Amino acid sequence: MNSRDILFLAALSMFTFGVQISSFGQDSEFDSLRSALETISDHKSKFKSITDLAWAYSRSDPPRSLKYSEWARELAEQENDEDLLAHVNYYFGTAHKNLGNYQKALNHFATYHDFFLEKEDMQKICFVYYQTGIVKMQMGNYLGALDDFLNNLKLARELGLKGTEANTLSVIATVHSKMKNFNKAIAYNEEALAIFIELEDKNGQGQCIANNANYYSVLNNLDMADSMYREGLALFEETGDSYMLGHSYFNLGELQILKGNLGEGESFILKSISMRQDLGHQKDLAESYVGLGNLYVRKNEGQKALLQFQLAMGLAEAVSSLELEKKITGGLAKTYELLTDFQKSAQYYKALNTLSDSILNQEITQQISELNIRFETELKENQIQLLQKDQLITKRNQSLFAAAAFLFLMASLGIFILYKNRKRSIKKLEEKNGIISKMLEEKEFLIKEIHHRVKNNLQIISSLLQLQSRYVDEPLALAALTEGESRVRSMSIIHHHLYTESNLSQVNVPQYIDNLCSNLLASYNYKNLDISIEKDIDDIALDVSVMIPLGLIINELITNAFKYAFEGKDGGKIIVKIKEWEDKLQVSVRDNGIGFDHKSTKAGFGNRLIQTFLKKLEATSETLLGEGTEIQITLDKYKKELISRRTG
């Protein structure tokens, strides 16, 4: 992959983050992005970019996620890449799962599972167990879901995937709640919450808190449930998780209705409907309609209730959920009874009984399956215990002979072992020294890589600001973009020096000022004025914690000289000095321009930026007006390290 592809992918990652916030959803924008991605030459990099977008939209906009998945499959088929063809099934599965198309989701996940199981890629198998567990749970197959989640949890712990472990504990809690084991559900959720807090994952914390609120609501601790729902809602509003916001609004609405706060309950459920309509999740949206319908029944508003249940029924036809169908049927029976249409009410009550019998039979079947699993587990455990007893007897018979042989061996080899131990100790010491050296090299490489990536990201931001400025005509906005680009470039130069030099925390000041001045001359000397910059810099190196704020201050001072010092003149000179004197660092930026009123600039953003960084550096400044303007800055406290004098 060439450098242009890498730069494009970095910019795309920034764009992807932005579109999640701004709800990117227009087909013209999709087509534009598709045209842009066609410029990437490496098909695997292009595939990853497309599937990253598919994953980003899988919950917030599943139909768009399917569109990206189709595009990814087209690319995999064009390249005849069987790995990518198998991989794209994961994104199809997640999108169909969030649309409520459960059987399609399971089919895609099964294809993905079988392919990567043959490849022995256990991390991918771990993740797909989680997804199939979610689908089975939503279909009401709780035992099947629990089996998948336990497989996922085992692999997550073996692989050290803390985030996956926390998510799985939380969803196991949900399965137990579906099976009416609420105390177990709360315990699993609290275990997951502790991990999410450790990982600083606010969205995960919100899900655990919201789930426990559900369980406290069922246990009739309504005040505790209310408090926890609101706490979870605040976290989801902070993270912008539309999917969980829809659930939180709905659950809060149901709780308020239960507490008798009908107006507030209606408001929350309407918010959930609005959120879920945007997401396109049929089952969740149908549940919101049912909740609103039950509220209108309670308020004796039959026609309003009928409309909500009919909307829910239209969605439920595409969702395989007996529980949802039962809720809708019961709501319609009550609604027609309220509307005095007793014939239809009786029909729906009869249908409700049939559904209740079907659900009861399903629950009995599940209980029988659970008992069979428990029986088989106990049988296997008994067989293992018998085998262990047989092994214990055999080991006892062998122990006497083994003990005698061991004593003889120890006596014979004692002296030899002492000799070998000394050689081994020397070898281990050498190995440890080698490991330490290797770790130091890896640490240095990683730090350099961090500075390299920071520099690249800052350069991308600078390029984007420069690109944006080409489409801006308003002078103030153009000036703001130019100044912002200059500040970003100032920081980028510092990280470039840290990446290319052997010292990873010290910046060579003369080299940095040379690069900074060159960039500023190129950016601001656009009127072709005869402006030069002279530099008188001591050969010193400054710690990065000092150089970044000091570099931004110098950037602002030179920028101000370009902007204001030479109005009405054909050219001029800017002089930058950095000197060490009596354990102090003295910095001066002087021009021979027309001078300016320093007090008039105090309200500007650049001046406020300078004052903020002066305070951070515990530095003082003085403005001298004469033939031009000079700003003198003195630092009493600064980290320094002398560098080798340049020769030649």
Side-chain angles (χ1 to χ4, degrees):
M1 182 166 48
N2 59 39
S3 59
R4 186 169 73 90
D5 293 344
I6 295 171
L7 181 62
F8 182 85
L9 285 173
L12 176 65
S13 67
M14 296 175 64
F15 174 75
T16 303
F17 176 77
V19 296
Q20 290 179 63
I21 296 174
S22 61
S23 187
F24 169 83
Q26 299 298 320
D27 287 339
S28 60
E29 293 175 284
F30 176 88
D31 294 337
S32 176
L33 180 60
R34 178 164 184 150
S35 297
L37 280 171
E38 291 298 338
T39 63
I40 300 178
S41 57
D42 180 55
H43 76 275
K44 289 188 177 179
S45 299
K46 188 190 299 185
F47 181 87
K48 184 180 185 306
S49 299
I50 298 168
T51 52
D52 282 349
L53 289 168
W55 177 255
Y57 284 113
S58 61
R59 177 176 285 184
S60 62
D61 192 350
R64 181 161 290 275
S65 177
L66 284 177
K67 198 169 185 179
Y68 283 116
S69 300
E70 289 284 359
W71 182 8
R73 182 162 61 186
E74 288 175 17
L75 177 62
E77 289 173 346
Q78 289 170 8
E79 300 296 332
N80 196 25
D81 191 321
E82 63 175 10
D83 276 24
L84 299 187
L85 273 171
H87 196 71
V88 79
N89 282 285
Y90 191 86
Y91 302 98
F92 275 113
T94 51
H96 281 301
K97 176 198 71 177
N98 291 326
L99 282 168
N101 303 327
Y102 298 132
Q103 194 54 55
K104 286 184 178 180
L106 286 177
N107 292 341
H108 282 292
F109 287 139
T111 302
Y112 180 93
H113 173 277
D114 294 345
F115 182 86
F116 288 106
L117 183 61
E118 187 175 343
K119 297 277 186 179
E120 296 184 356
D121 190 334
M122 301 318 295
Q123 182 165 312
K124 288 185 173 64
I125 298 302
C126 173
F127 292 155
V128 81
Y129 270 134
Y130 181 87
Q131 295 295 346
T132 55
I134 292 290
V135 176
K136 290 175 183 178
M137 180 180 67
Q138 291 176 342
M139 294 177 71
N141 181 7
Y142 302 133
L143 289 176
L146 194 58
D147 186 50
D148 284 349
F149 289 138
L150 290 174
N151 284 327
N152 167 265
L153 183 63
K154 178 177 179 293
L155 288 173
R157 286 172 171 166
E158 289 175 357
L159 297 168
L161 304 173
K162 297 292 289 184
T164 302
E165 178 184 354
N167 281 319
T168 306
L169 287 167
S170 177
V171 81
I172 287 174
T174 303
V175 176
H176 279 293
S177 74
K178 299 287 187 181
M179 299 170 70
K180 313 303 181 186
N181 300 325
F182 296 109
N183 290 327
K184 274 190 176 182
I186 291 171
Y188 272 109
N189 238 357
E190 288 176 347
E191 188 177 351
L193 179 60
I195 298 176
F196 282 128
I197 291 172
E198 177 188 344
L199 297 174
E200 297 181 355
D201 184 341
K202 291 186 178 180
N203 214 58
Q205 294 171 42
Q207 290 187 23
C208 289
I209 292 168
N211 287 340
N212 270 351
N214 290 335
Y215 311 147
Y216 281 116
S217 177
V218 174
L219 294 171
N220 209 31
N221 191 342
L222 303 187
D223 290 337
M224 175 68 80
D226 197 326
S227 174
M228 296 186 78
Y229 276 138
R230 294 179 192 274
E231 184 181 354
L233 179 62
L235 286 167
F236 295 133
E237 287 175 341
E238 185 177 347
T239 60
D241 189 330
S242 300
Y243 183 83
M244 290 307 300
L245 276 172
H247 277 285
S248 298
Y249 286 135
F250 176 72
N251 290 333
L252 261 173
E254 292 271 89
L255 182 65
Q256 299 313 312
I257 294 169
L258 193 61
K259 294 174 71 175
N261 305 325
L262 303 187
E264 190 176 11
E266 182 178 5
S267 175
F268 278 124
I269 292 181
L270 286 171
K271 285 183 179 180
S272 79
I273 288 174
S274 175
M275 191 72 66
R276 288 171 167 179
Q277 283 174 336
D278 292 338
L279 293 174
H281 194 295
Q282 295 172 313
K283 183 180 179 184
D284 288 350
L285 183 58
E287 286 183 345
S288 290
Y289 285 137
V290 170
L292 194 57
N294 287 330
L295 171 62
Y296 289 142
V297 168
R298 185 166 178 172
K299 293 172 70 176
N300 293 321
E301 298 178 5
Q303 289 298 333
K304 286 186 176 181
L306 181 60
L307 175 61
Q308 301 305 316
F309 288 122
Q310 287 173 340
L311 289 171
M313 183 65 80
L315 293 172
E317 291 175 356
V319 179
S320 177
S321 173
L322 290 176
E323 195 64 40
L324 177 59
E325 190 176 349
K326 178 183 176 183
K327 291 177 182 178
I328 297 170
T329 303
L332 285 169
K334 292 178 182 177
T335 302
Y336 280 116
E337 185 178 358
L338 182 63
L339 293 171
T340 66
D341 190 341
F342 299 114
Q343 183 177 358
K344 284 189 177 180
S345 177
Q347 290 174 354
Y348 279 107
Y349 274 123
K350 183 177 180 181
L352 179 62
N353 287 333
T354 303
L355 282 170
S356 298
D357 290 341
S358 298
I359 292 172
L360 179 61
N361 290 335
Q362 188 181 71
E363 290 176 349
I364 291 171
T365 301
Q366 289 176 353
Q367 290 173 3
I368 291 171
S369 298
E370 184 177 6
L371 289 172
N372 283 334
I373 291 170
R374 289 178 181 174
F375 172 76
E376 290 173 3
T377 302
E378 290 176 0
L379 182 62
K380 288 178 182 178
E381 288 176 350
N382 289 334
Q383 290 173 344
I384 290 170
Q385 288 177 358
L386 289 173
L387 288 172
Q388 288 174 339
K389 287 179 180 178
D390 290 341
Q391 290 173 351
L392 183 61
I393 293 170
T394 303
K395 286 179 179 179
R396 283 177 180 174
N397 291 335
Q398 295 172 347
S399 61
L400 291 174
F401 176 77
F406 177 75
L407 290 173
F408 176 77
L409 181 63
M410 290 298 294
S412 302
L413 300 178
I415 297 174
F416 177 75
I417 289 172
L418 289 174
Y419 169 75
K420 293 295 289 183
N421 281 344
R422 183 173 179 181
K423 287 190 67 176
R424 192 180 297 113
S425 297
I426 294 171
K427 185 178 179 181
K428 284 183 177 179
L429 184 60
E430 291 173 348
E431 289 174 351
K432 287 180 180 179
N433 288 336
I435 291 170
I436 291 170
S437 298
K438 185 177 180 182
M439 290 175 67
L440 288 173
E441 290 176 4
E442 290 176 351
K443 180 182 178 182
E444 181 176 341
F445 171 78
L446 289 174
I447 293 173
K448 281 192 173 186
E449 183 65 18
I450 288 169
H451 286 304
H452 188 202
R453 293 189 181 189
V454 171
K455 181 208 70 171
N456 287 346
N457 288 337
L458 289 170
Q459 286 181 342
I460 290 168
I461 294 170
S462 176
S463 299
L464 291 174
L465 289 171
Q466 188 179 39
L467 180 64
Q468 184 64 46
S469 66
R470 297 177 185 175
Y471 302 97
V472 175
D473 297 324
E474 205 281 320
L476 291 176
L478 183 59
L481 285 170
T482 303
E483 291 171 8
E485 180 193 351
S486 174
R487 291 164 186 146
V488 171
R489 193 183 297 115
S490 171
M491 292 184 287
S492 174
I493 293 169
I494 290 174
H495 288 283
H496 173 74
H497 281 282
L498 292 171
Y499 168 66
T500 55
E501 297 294 331
S502 59
N503 193 324
L504 300 177
S505 63
Q506 302 283 329
V507 180
N508 184 311
V509 178
Q511 290 181 8
Y512 170 70
I513 296 298
D514 281 343
N515 288 342
L516 178 64
C517 291
S518 298
N519 276 284
L520 288 171
L521 273 170
S523 296
Y524 286 99
N525 204 3
Y526 54 86
K527 295 181 180 179
N528 295 320
L529 300 178
D530 186 16
I531 298 174
S532 62
I533 300 179
E534 294 183 3
K535 299 172 284 291
D536 186 4
I537 315 295
D538 280 356
D539 282 345
I540 58 173
L542 292 179
D543 189 89
V544 66
S545 64
V546 175
M547 197 66 250
I548 286 178
L550 183 60
L552 287 168
I553 290 172
I554 295 171
N555 180 84
E556 292 298 320
L557 294 176
I558 297 175
T559 298
N560 286 340
F562 272 112
K563 290 168 61 179
Y564 305 116
F566 306 109
E567 289 187 8
K569 300 186 71 173
D570 294 332
K573 180 166 57 178
I574 301 170
I575 301 171
V576 182
K577 290 186 178 181
I578 300 178
K579 295 289 182 181
E580 287 188 304
W581 181 71
E582 294 184 355
D583 295 327
K584 295 182 180 180
L585 187 69
Q586 293 188 332
V587 180
S588 167
V589 178
R590 177 164 62 89
D591 64 72
N592 63 350
I594 62 174
F596 71 101
D597 183 1
H598 180 62
K599 294 180 180 179
S600 67
T601 66
K602 286 188 176 180
F605 175 75
N607 185 267
R608 293 200 303 273
L609 193 68
I610 291 171
Q611 296 304 317
T612 298
F613 287 129
L614 286 173
K615 185 176 180 181
K616 176 179 177 63
L617 294 170
E618 300 182 19
T620 59
S621 69
E622 182 180 3
T623 303
L624 303 177
L625 301 175
E627 185 183 352
T629 304
E630 181 177 5
I631 311 296
Q632 292 183 348
I633 297 170
T634 303
L635 286 80
D636 293 324
K637 300 176 182 178
Y638 67 101
K639 299 176 183 179
K640 64 179 181 178
E641 176 181 299
L642 293 177
I643 59 175
S644 300
R645 296 282 175 178
R646 290 174 289 188
T647 59

